[in-house]
Amino acid sequence: MLKNKQLLILLWLAISPAVNSQNDSITLSEISNVEFKINDLLNWVNSNHPLVRIAKSEEEIGKAKLLNKRGAFDPIFSIDNNLKTLENQSYYDFSRFALVGKTRSPINLESGIDYGLGNKLNPELSTSNSGLGFFGISIDLLKGFWIDEKRNDLKKAKIYAQMGRIEREIMLQDLAETIWNDYLLWYNSYEKYVAFETGVAISSERQLALREMFAIGGCNGMDTLENHIQLKLFEAQSTEWNANTYKYKMQLSRHLWSKDKNHWVELNDNVFPSPDGLMQLDSLCKQFTSNSLDVSEIPDIQKLINEQEIKLFDYRLARNNLLPKLELKTQFIQNNVPYKWGTINNFSENQRFGLTFNTPLFLRKERGELSKSEFEFYQKKEQVRFKQTERQLNILGLLKQVETSVSVYNTLKEVENGYFELYNLERVKYDNGDGTIFLLNTRENRYLTAKVKSIEQEFKMRKYEIDLLRLNGQISQTISIK
């Protein structure tokens, strides 16, 4: 009877946990005495986690910034009216109705009608009763010809729109990394708890059998004491890892939010982690090789590259602002209604023309801004170069660690299986009266020690895989965000 119970428990330990969930997707109200897979957690996070909603909004913020800067080029319709009446005498009444079209070039378009009436009105503003129609352009010939504040802001806004998508991806990367690490801690603690709890169960069964044998003189007291000491050791370790399992389960619960997204939900006491789904880390890592590495495609590096481009835009604008302002403005004008712009043949006789020139004498503000933007661009450029090199070297190092840890894990599993076979053989010898309790306890302890070492190595292997997938920007692929 003892032999059969030991065999069943050890077989369960070797393949633990082996209970399969009935559903691929589980709601928290249904979680009771079942495995809670990593995919169940990821699906729940995808639907309810506040940080997922925040990540989704990052792209919308980038789009809003772009829309805002595009608004600087919207046509402007304006009405300007000025009049003066003193002692029942009308001095002047001047009105302008204008439509200004801003373009993404140094040229602006303007069209409208002026009405200038009154005996005391400045003659240059005076018009006929039908008004003076005008259509013309203004153009910056020096400062503002290649770039100006509005066009520079629009270019930057386009970059910010791209960065919105990148920021979204970075937030999902960080979230996925945290989720995987938290689940891995819970799974590792639970696996160790199961290992030591199984040791407790086996030692307890043997302790009862030894006491019965001691009572009839079948063994000495040292055998019973030897087994009792080992039992207490297993109980202490089981208690410790049971507490750790609860701790990491609570830590994992921070990712579980209710359907109304207003409060977090605690996992049921009977819920336990599962190895199902952990293999997707292996699959993603196997798809990645050093030959396929392109650090410029990693979201964290893409963000820095875009920041560098923004600094470049600011530097070009500052360099352009050293030029003096030279603005040319010319308009076709007509007095006749309806206006016939297609009939204008003599530009020199029906036009308004203006030329504006100004520049600071010392350009201290402009030179200071240029120097600042130049150094900021240089700093960002060097940061990008350093981060690209650093990320590449870190990834190559982790890739080697992953490959090595997989090899070490497979070796330790072989050692574990070897000790399991030795324990079974020793148990058969002991049951046949051809062994000692000391050797049986030793075999059992070495097997459980090997089991724990393989669990710890699996933890290291998975941790290296998570770190690698975070560094190369692939960890968020495990969260299917739409």
Side-chain angles (χ1 to χ4, degrees):
M1 185 67 178
L2 174 61
K3 177 181 177 181
N4 292 335
K5 285 185 177 180
Q6 290 174 346
L7 181 59
L8 288 173
I9 292 174
L10 283 171
L11 286 174
W12 176 70
L13 171 62
I15 61 174
S16 68
V19 181
N20 290 324
S21 165
Q22 297 298 316
N23 301 315
D24 290 333
S25 180
I26 301 175
T27 62
L28 290 182
S29 61
E30 298 169 342
I31 296 178
S32 179
N33 210 15
V34 295
E35 292 177 325
F36 189 51
K37 303 176 184 178
I38 181 64
N39 288 334
D40 296 323
L41 174 60
L42 293 172
N43 289 336
W44 190 268
V45 166
N46 189 8
S47 301
N48 304 312
H49 204 293
L51 290 182
V52 171
R53 290 180 287 153
I54 294 173
K56 290 179 179 178
S57 66
E58 281 295 326
E59 188 171 354
E60 299 304 318
I61 292 174
K63 292 178 181 178
K65 288 181 178 179
L66 179 57
L67 180 64
N68 175 276
K69 297 307 178 181
R70 281 176 172 167
F73 298 93
D74 289 346
I76 298 176
F77 177 71
S78 63
I79 299 176
D80 186 19
N81 178 253
N82 293 280
L83 61 88
K84 177 182 177 182
T85 301
L86 181 63
E87 296 179 354
N88 295 324
Q89 183 177 1
S90 175
Y91 276 68
Y92 59 82
D93 184 355
F94 179 80
S95 299
R96 169 170 289 177
F97 302 86
L99 180 66
V100 178
K102 299 180 179 294
T103 68
R104 298 178 189 181
S105 71
I107 300 175
N108 290 325
L109 307 176
E110 187 176 14
S111 178
I113 301 175
D114 289 343
Y115 292 97
L117 305 173
N119 295 329
K120 306 296 185 179
L121 184 68
N122 188 330
E124 70 177 81
L125 300 177
S126 179
T127 69
S128 63
N129 291 334
S130 60
L132 179 70
F134 61 89
F135 174 80
I137 64 171
S138 63
I139 179 171
D140 291 312
L141 298 177
L142 293 176
K143 180 179 179 180
F145 183 81
W146 295 111
I147 191 68
D148 58 24
E149 197 76 36
K150 293 193 299 293
R151 283 180 281 162
N152 190 60
D153 286 345
L154 180 60
K155 286 184 176 181
K156 288 163 61 175
K158 290 179 179 179
I159 299 296
Y160 283 126
Q162 296 176 16
M163 289 178 65
R165 294 190 292 271
I166 295 172
E167 289 285 359
R168 170 182 181 272
E169 184 64 22
I170 290 175
M171 291 185 69
L172 293 178
Q173 294 275 353
D174 293 339
L175 178 60
E177 179 186 23
T178 303
I179 291 170
W180 274 98
N181 281 326
D182 286 350
Y183 189 89
L184 188 60
L185 286 168
W186 182 40
Y187 173 75
N188 177 70
S189 298
Y190 179 77
E191 286 282 280
K192 288 183 178 179
Y193 163 69
V194 168
F196 290 119
E197 187 65 14
T198 303
V200 170
I202 296 172
S203 296
S204 296
E205 288 272 353
R206 187 179 303 124
Q207 181 71 194
L208 291 174
L210 287 171
R211 288 186 179 186
E212 292 176 359
M213 293 174 65
F214 176 75
I216 62 175
C219 67
N220 59 49
M222 291 183 63
D223 290 340
T224 306
L225 179 60
E226 169 80 21
N227 182 257
H228 178 73
I229 293 173
Q230 183 159 297
L231 171 60
K232 290 302 179 182
L233 176 62
F234 287 154
E235 285 179 345
Q237 292 172 317
S238 173
T239 301
E240 178 186 5
W241 284 104
N242 185 38
N244 287 337
T245 300
Y246 179 78
K247 167 190 169 184
Y248 290 123
K249 184 177 69 171
M250 290 297 98
Q251 182 170 304
L252 187 73
S253 294
R254 62 179 169 158
H255 304 299
L256 297 171
W257 288 76
S258 61
K259 290 290 186 182
D260 58 14
K261 306 176 182 65
N262 289 328
H263 57 86
W264 65 276
V265 180
E266 180 180 347
L267 290 171
N268 189 287
D269 288 339
N270 295 323
V271 174
F272 54 89
S274 167
D276 290 350
L278 298 182
M279 293 296 291
Q280 60 184 302
L281 294 175
D282 297 329
S283 300
L284 287 173
C285 288
K286 287 177 181 177
Q287 295 173 9
F288 178 76
T289 63
S290 58
N291 293 330
S292 64
L293 177 59
D294 183 2
V295 293
S296 64
E297 296 298 321
I298 299 173
D300 305 271
I301 303 300
Q302 286 182 334
K303 179 182 177 181
L304 291 175
I305 292 174
N306 282 328
E307 290 175 350
Q308 175 187 326
E309 193 166 0
I310 288 173
K311 294 297 183 183
L312 178 60
F313 290 155
D314 289 339
Y315 169 65
R316 289 173 176 173
L317 177 64
R319 189 172 57 185
N320 179 80
N321 286 341
L322 291 176
L323 297 173
K325 181 176 179 60
L326 179 61
E327 182 184 18
L328 180 147
K329 186 173 184 178
T330 183
Q331 293 177 347
F332 296 98
I333 56 177
Q334 279 197 29
N335 272 321
N336 300 322
V337 180
Y339 303 109
K340 299 179 181 179
W341 300 110
T343 64
I344 297 178
N345 297 316
N346 194 340
F347 175 78
S348 62
E349 294 181 359
N350 299 286
Q351 57 92 23
R352 287 191 292 212
F353 180 84
L355 195 64
T356 302
F357 176 87
N358 67 69
T359 183
L361 290 180
F362 303 114
L363 296 171
R364 286 182 292 186
K365 176 182 176 182
E366 290 77 9
R367 286 188 288 117
E369 185 64 29
L370 176 62
S371 180
K372 180 175 77 73
S373 61
E374 183 178 9
F375 281 113
E376 287 178 348
F377 170 65
Y378 170 78
Q379 287 178 334
K380 187 60 67 174
K381 182 179 178 180
E382 291 301 304
Q383 183 185 15
V384 169
R385 188 172 65 167
F386 171 75
K387 289 296 183 180
Q388 283 181 323
T389 302
E390 180 186 51
R391 182 60 63 94
Q392 184 174 16
L393 294 176
N394 286 342
I395 289 175
L396 292 176
L398 266 174
L399 189 58
K400 183 65 176 178
Q401 277 187 312
V402 168
E403 294 171 353
T404 302
S405 65
V406 170
S407 176
V408 173
Y409 174 70
N410 291 333
T411 300
L412 289 178
K413 287 300 288 184
E414 291 178 4
V415 172
E416 175 194 335
N417 293 334
Y419 276 121
F420 180 67
E421 292 179 8
L422 286 174
Y423 172 78
N424 282 330
L425 292 172
E426 194 64 43
R427 190 187 67 247
V428 171
K429 288 175 61 179
Y430 179 79
D431 291 342
N432 292 331
D434 190 24
T436 65
I437 192 65
F438 175 77
L439 272 178
L440 184 58
N441 287 339
T442 301
R443 299 294 188 196
E444 178 187 332
N445 192 46
R446 286 181 178 176
Y447 166 68
L448 290 176
T449 300
K451 176 71 175 176
V452 171
K453 283 185 177 179
S454 66
I455 292 173
E456 291 174 344
Q457 182 59 33
E458 183 184 17
F459 176 79
K460 290 180 181 179
M461 178 184 70
R462 299 299 181 198
K463 188 68 174 65
Y464 288 146
E465 289 176 334
I466 292 170
D467 291 344
L468 174 63
L469 294 175
R470 174 60 185 90
L471 284 181
N472 67 18
Q474 289 183 298
I475 191 69
S476 63
Q477 293 180 21
T478 59
I479 304 183
S480 302
I481 301 298
K482 298 294 188 289

